[in-house]
């Protein structure tokens, strides 16, 4: 079991802890498939909603909050029945806009894993306005069920009435919808090819600033992020923050980064290069490779 889970395991009911420990191996990064969740519910005789709330300390153990020292865990349950954990991330000494909220981390985890719908969000503190707005960008966002400890489950519409979202700006394919954007680039570099794949899946309907980041560690592992825009603009999630959040979930230290690529559309109304460089230089002494590509 990974060291970061030792403290939280001690907080769990004994039957859950006993059945969970084998899953928390060195490869565990917050994902459980639907069968694993069902098996845990059966072994512990817990209703699934009760089980997911009980798992929140595990999600919170993924957090890196050097500024607030406030550990927040969240779990996104996908339409597939799989669950995706996320946690808050803060960059030490850097502006707070670089922070990733736990709900954003969990949702981006699901999106990067291929989910096309989120049915439930389980979180250990009431979602802030930023996160409510971010969730409202998703497919059927207002219907997502929010689960909080010792509170009745409510849809997002309860927490964000009179919402402003994609439909108000005539966007009919919200975040998590299947979509593919084509760009012209030929490369034999596997890392750039991977970045191009994520660029094509990024979500930027307001600025058309489609973008993706790939980070490579010294052992050759790669961690990716895609741009996820928001109708309210500020809750947009930058691809660098998404990639760093993925690294944190995988228990990798940012000092291991030895290469970083940002690829973005040449036709976007904005560029993410400045913000991306700021975040990268806050965590690693690596120069950013910046590639602009033309849409097809």
């Amino acid at each position: 079991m990974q060291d970061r889970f030792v403290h939280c395991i001690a907080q769990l009911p004994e039957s859950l802890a006993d059945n969970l420990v084998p899953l928390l191996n060195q490869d565990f990064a917050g994902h459980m498939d639907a069968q694993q969740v069902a098996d845990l519910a059966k072994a512990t005789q817990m209703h699934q909603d009760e089980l997911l709330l009980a798992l929140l300390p595990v999600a919170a153990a993924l957090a890196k909050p050097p500024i607030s020292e406030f550990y927040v865990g969240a779990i996104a349950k996908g339409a597939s029945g799989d669950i995706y954990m996320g946690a808050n991330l803060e960059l030490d000494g850097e502006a707070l806009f670089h922070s990733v909220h736990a709900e954003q981390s969990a949702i981006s985890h699901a999106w990067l894993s291929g989910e096309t719908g989120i049915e439930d969000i389980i979180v250990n503190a009431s979602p802030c306005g930023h996160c409510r707005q971010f969730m409202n960008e998703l497919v059927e966002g207002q219907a997502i069920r929010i689960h909080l400890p010792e509170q009745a489950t409510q849809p997002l519409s309860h927490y964000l009435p009179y919402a402003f979202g994609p439909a108000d700006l005539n966007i009919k394919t919200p975040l998590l919808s299947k979509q593919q954007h084509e760009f012209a680039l030929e490369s034999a570099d596997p890392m750039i090819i991977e970045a191009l794949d994520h660029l094509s899946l990024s979500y930027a309907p307001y600025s058309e600033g489609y973008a993706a980041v790939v980070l490579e560690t010294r052992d050759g592992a790669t961690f990716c992020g895609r741009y996820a825009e928001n109708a309210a603009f500020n809750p947009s999630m930058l691809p660098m923050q998404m990639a760093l959040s993925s690294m944190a979930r995988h228990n990798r230290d940012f000092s291991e980064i030895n290469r970083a690529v940002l690829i973005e559309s040449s036709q976007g109304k904005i560029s993410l290069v400045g913000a991306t460089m700021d975040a990268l230089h806050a965590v690693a002494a690596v120069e950013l490779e910046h590639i602009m590509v033309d849409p097809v």
Side-chain angles (χ1 to χ4, degrees):
M1 184 177 68
Q2 298 176 35
D3 291 346
R4 58 181 171 169
F5 299 120
V6 170
H7 178 70
C8 71
I9 283 292
Q11 304 174 38
L12 303 182
E14 186 175 352
S15 63
L16 177 56
D18 290 345
N19 286 278
L20 191 59
V21 166
L23 300 179
L24 303 181
N25 55 42
Q26 293 305 311
D27 295 325
F28 183 77
H31 172 237
M32 293 184 190
D33 64 37
Q35 188 60 57
Q36 289 174 315
V37 175
D39 290 346
L40 272 179
K42 182 178 180 180
T44 59
Q45 298 186 325
M46 299 172 76
H47 186 276
Q48 188 170 115
D49 288 353
E50 180 188 8
L51 171 65
L52 296 182
L53 283 165
L55 288 173
L56 283 174
V58 179
L62 305 175
K64 287 192 173 185
I67 300 169
S68 68
E69 299 182 5
F70 184 60
Y71 288 71
V72 183
I75 299 172
K77 181 184 175 186
S80 67
D82 287 16
I83 64 168
Y84 304 87
M85 296 180 180
N88 56 321
L89 168 69
E90 299 159 4
L91 301 189
D92 197 10
E94 291 301 308
L96 297 182
F97 79 84
H98 286 298
S99 301
V100 175
H101 295 229
E103 295 92 326
Q104 288 181 305
S105 174
I107 290 165
S108 65
H109 186 182
W111 187 35
L112 290 170
S113 300
E115 287 285 350
T116 56
I118 299 294
E119 296 182 348
D120 297 83
I121 293 288
I122 302 91
V123 63
N124 61 2
S126 184
C128 69
H130 183 99
C131 290
R132 297 177 197 193
Q133 183 66 43
F134 187 81
M135 287 186 275
N136 193 55
E137 193 73 24
L138 306 181
V139 173
E140 301 294 333
Q142 285 277 290
I144 293 172
R145 296 182 292 267
I146 309 298
H147 304 255
L148 294 163
E150 301 179 5
Q151 293 191 41
T153 298
Q154 299 280 5
L156 179 63
S157 58
H158 171 80
Y159 291 95
L160 191 67
Y162 312 109
F164 179 82
D168 295 293
L169 294 176
N170 299 314
I171 300 301
K172 297 179 172 56
T173 53
L175 183 60
L176 297 187
S177 301
K178 288 186 177 180
Q179 47 192 291
Q180 186 91 17
H181 311 286
E182 299 296 331
F183 293 90
L185 177 68
E186 291 187 10
S187 175
D189 185 329
M191 193 166 163
I192 293 176
I193 293 170
E194 185 174 5
L196 185 64
D197 287 342
H198 284 277
L199 172 69
S200 70
L201 297 170
S202 64
Y203 177 79
Y206 310 110
S207 71
E208 297 184 352
Y210 301 101
V213 161
V214 178
L215 304 175
E216 183 184 58
T217 53
R218 289 190 292 269
D219 62 357
T222 55
F223 300 90
C224 307
R226 309 169 189 153
Y227 189 30
E229 271 189 345
N230 190 275
F233 285 21
N234 285 349
S236 301
M237 189 174 183
L238 301 181
M240 176 58 83
Q241 278 74 359
M242 193 178 293
L244 292 174
S245 180
S246 179
M247 283 192 71
R249 286 195 306 272
H250 284 84
N251 205 24
R252 301 299 296 265
D253 194 272
F254 300 146
S255 64
E256 298 178 60
I257 299 169
N258 72 344
R259 189 180 176 198
V261 171
L262 165 67
I263 186 168
E264 56 183 349
S265 172
S266 63
Q267 300 302 307
K269 298 176 183 176
I270 62 171
S271 173
L272 305 183
V273 65
T276 303
M277 289 175 62
D278 284 348
L280 176 63
H281 292 161
V283 298
V286 175
E287 290 305 310
L288 179 68
E289 299 174 39
H290 181 213
I291 301 170
M292 302 285 284
V293 294
D294 295 328
V296 173

